[in-house]
Amino acid sequence: METNWISGATGAIAFGRHTFDPQRCELRTAAGAPVPLGQRAARLLQALIEAGGRVLSRDDLLRRAWPGQQIDDGNLRVQIAALRRALADDRALIGTVAGRGYLFAGRAERRPVARSRLPVPASPLVGRAEQPDAARHATQAAGVPAAAVSGAGVSADTVLARVAASRFVTLAGAPGIGKTALALAAAHRHAGTVAWAELDATGTEEGMLGIVAGALGLAPGPRWSSAGALVAALPPAQYAGPVLLVLDNCEHLADACSRLVETLLAQCPALRVLATSRQPLLAGGEMVVRIPALDLPAPEETDPARLAGSGAVALFVARAAAATGHAFVPDAAGLASVAAICRRLDGLPLAIELAAAQVPALGLQRIGAGLDDMLRLLQGPAGTATPRHRTLRAALDWSYVLLPPPAQAALCRLAGLPAWFTLDEAAALLRPAYSAYETIDSLAALAAHSLLAVEHGRQARFRLLATTRAYALSLDRY
């Protein structure tokens, strides 16, 4: 019952295979996802651990969990039972001493949680919810492999659960789909050490290695010429506990990032890697999670509550409120207008945020009309985001320049096809400049870079998002 304790220290509390984060009121077992305990149960667990094996009476615990309140003993028993359920096979760590109270029967120590390098989210994550149990169970029952999960219902917690299960997850998706925002939300919820490496400022492997070295606490320098050299310099003890490395914006350095991740995971058993990229990195052990657009209300939906409950509409309302500086509470007609705007933008978070920012100046009606020239409308003020996220055009430029030239030309021509088209229709449009194989290669490149949606069925169908189509048509005019 010995407890290695530093009074007043901060950070997570480790005992056995469990890690308890008092600030977040979460308990993590091994490398699993964090389990929320609730404020009362978290206070009780912290009090029992801090007691260092001493018995705490009913009154002691009631004062810690419900200060200044008269609470029935039944509430205490309920919270203790909840803690034991969370501890599962280790429920005996919370012991009962008949007639006296409860004690913590384990050894605990403070484990610092490094978050100093994590960016602060510019705004709360809105519109990303947990996948409902019924939907998740239906997916599993259909035999869909975990690595092929589409990303429906992806949230910060589901991302962490997948990282814990596979060690290496890449969040992939279209420009402006919210990959960085989701990765950042997951990083802030991670109970262990987090190293954040933002890669969009470098275009070389050596520059990438220097950024990652700095994120992992190593001094950047010219000696980081290979992934092997970087891994060899890592202090083994520092990375013995759970560490999450986030590689943000990997698409322009996909091969170099792939080599680094494979080397890191082979040498650092406790390390987990979360990457964001517009295309998969194609590394060994990679689980690719395709991030979908936000959910949209059905075109025939008129119920205000259901309109407001969709992820896309909720994001628009939240960002419009931030732009106006006060509550933005549209009536039924206003919600219908917001829903129509979000549908035209295909539920794309960046496009929705840029449109919502125009509410104070234009109002909903003019925004809806202005979407006929959405590339001009969807621009944010300078300094509010990274340069490639200040305008919709800039976000798409970043993807376009990474395409091989044949795919660039194909994108411009495919914008003239209907909303959904088949391989045969694409081939007919691109002949004679493209052979059948070149058409397939171009479609595959566009899909890999998240610029082309693919619907699999008896016959595959393809679709450009409205924002991508507008961009491609604008290029075709030059």
Side-chain angles (χ1 to χ4, degrees):
M1 294 189 297
E2 180 184 2
T3 300
N4 177 13
W5 196 259
I6 301 175
S7 178
T10 60
I13 302 169
F15 52 94
R17 58 200 186 100
H18 305 281
T19 304
F20 168 51
D21 190 332
Q23 290 184 314
R24 297 176 182 273
C25 301
E26 292 174 345
L27 181 71
R28 183 191 296 272
T29 299
V35 175
L37 296 177
Q39 188 180 64
R40 307 297 181 187
R43 287 179 179 176
L44 290 173
L45 180 57
Q46 184 170 1
L48 287 166
I49 292 173
E50 287 179 346
R54 293 183 294 106
V55 176
L56 293 184
S57 69
R58 159 196 171 278
D59 290 340
D60 292 333
L61 292 171
L62 290 176
R63 278 194 295 270
R64 285 295 300 269
W66 293 274
Q69 301 180 51
Q70 296 295 321
I71 299 297
D72 184 79
D73 288 358
N75 291 317
L76 176 60
R77 290 193 292 271
V78 167
Q79 297 298 331
I80 292 291
L83 284 175
R84 286 171 170 161
R85 282 196 301 273
L87 291 167
D89 294 341
D90 296 320
R91 62 183 61 236
L93 285 173
I94 298 180
T96 301
V97 180
R100 295 181 59 198
Y102 301 91
L103 59 79
F104 178 74
R107 173 186 172 85
E109 62 179 2
R110 283 285 187 183
R111 178 175 293 164
V113 179
R115 304 183 188 275
S116 59
R117 295 185 179 88
L118 271 181
V120 177
S123 52
L125 187 66
V126 178
R128 298 289 182 194
E130 293 287 344
Q131 181 181 12
D133 288 340
R136 184 167 58 251
H137 295 159
T139 300
Q140 294 169 349
V144 178
V149 173
S150 70
V154 172
S155 68
D157 285 339
T158 58
V159 168
L160 287 175
R162 289 169 188 171
V163 169
S166 69
R167 293 190 67 201
F168 174 32
V169 170
T170 296
L171 303 181
I177 203 69
K179 301 178 291 294
T180 296
L182 185 56
L184 185 55
H188 277 279
R189 291 187 63 79
H190 181 65
T193 298
V194 179
W196 182 277
E198 171 57 64
L199 304 181
D200 64 352
T202 184
T204 66
E205 180 171 7
E206 185 173 333
M208 178 272 290
L209 291 171
I211 291 172
V212 174
L216 292 172
L218 301 174
R223 68 180 182 278
W224 309 126
S225 56
S226 70
L230 189 154
V231 172
L234 292 175
Q238 184 176 349
Y239 296 98
V243 178
L244 176 65
L245 170 63
V246 183
L247 303 176
D248 190 35
N249 298 304
C250 299
E251 55 271 351
H252 59 305
L253 294 165
D255 292 342
C257 288
S258 176
R259 288 191 293 270
L260 172 64
V261 172
E262 288 179 344
T263 304
L264 283 169
L265 293 181
Q267 300 298 322
C268 306
L271 185 69
R272 302 290 187 270
V273 178
L274 175 62
T276 72
S277 176
R278 298 183 187 185
Q279 60 177 318
L281 302 186
L282 305 179
E286 178 183 28
M287 172 188 276
V288 179
V289 177
R290 288 280 179 184
I291 305 303
L294 299 177
D295 65 289
L296 292 161
E300 66 275 8
E301 184 60 70
T302 58
D303 180 72
R306 291 180 179 173
L307 290 173
S310 82
V313 173
L315 177 63
F316 187 102
V317 170
R319 298 300 184 258
T324 58
H326 54 76
F328 177 69
V329 187
D331 57 15
L335 284 171
S337 296
V338 170
I341 291 168
C342 292
R343 289 190 201 99
R344 288 197 62 184
L345 297 174
D346 293 312
L348 190 70
L350 176 61
I352 290 172
E353 292 186 334
L354 291 172
Q358 304 292 339
V359 166
L362 300 180
L364 294 177
Q365 186 174 357
R366 289 185 178 177
I367 290 173
L371 291 179
D372 290 338
D373 189 3
M374 61 177 63
L375 293 181
R376 180 171 296 178
L377 174 73
L378 300 180
Q379 302 187 52
T384 58
T386 57
R388 61 192 167 80
H389 282 155
R390 287 177 191 156
T391 71
L392 186 62
R393 182 182 292 280
L396 288 158
D397 282 342
W398 179 266
S399 286
Y400 181 79
V401 297
L402 297 175
L403 291 171
Q408 291 179 342
L411 175 65
C412 296
R413 297 186 65 183
L414 292 172
L417 287 175
W420 286 99
F421 57 89
T422 65
L423 174 60
D424 289 342
E425 289 170 329
L429 178 71
L430 296 176
R431 282 196 299 261
Y434 289 67
S435 69
Y437 292 111
E438 288 170 333
T439 296
I440 292 172
D441 286 345
S442 293
L443 293 178
L446 292 172
H449 285 258
S450 304
L451 290 172
L452 187 68
V454 184
E455 183 183 80
H456 298 284
R458 181 171 296 179
Q459 182 180 37
R461 298 198 305 161
F462 306 91
R463 174 176 178 258
L464 296 174
L465 293 180
T467 50
T468 306
R469 180 186 300 279
Y471 176 80
L473 289 172
S474 75
L475 293 175
D476 202 32
R477 289 196 293 265
Y478 293 152

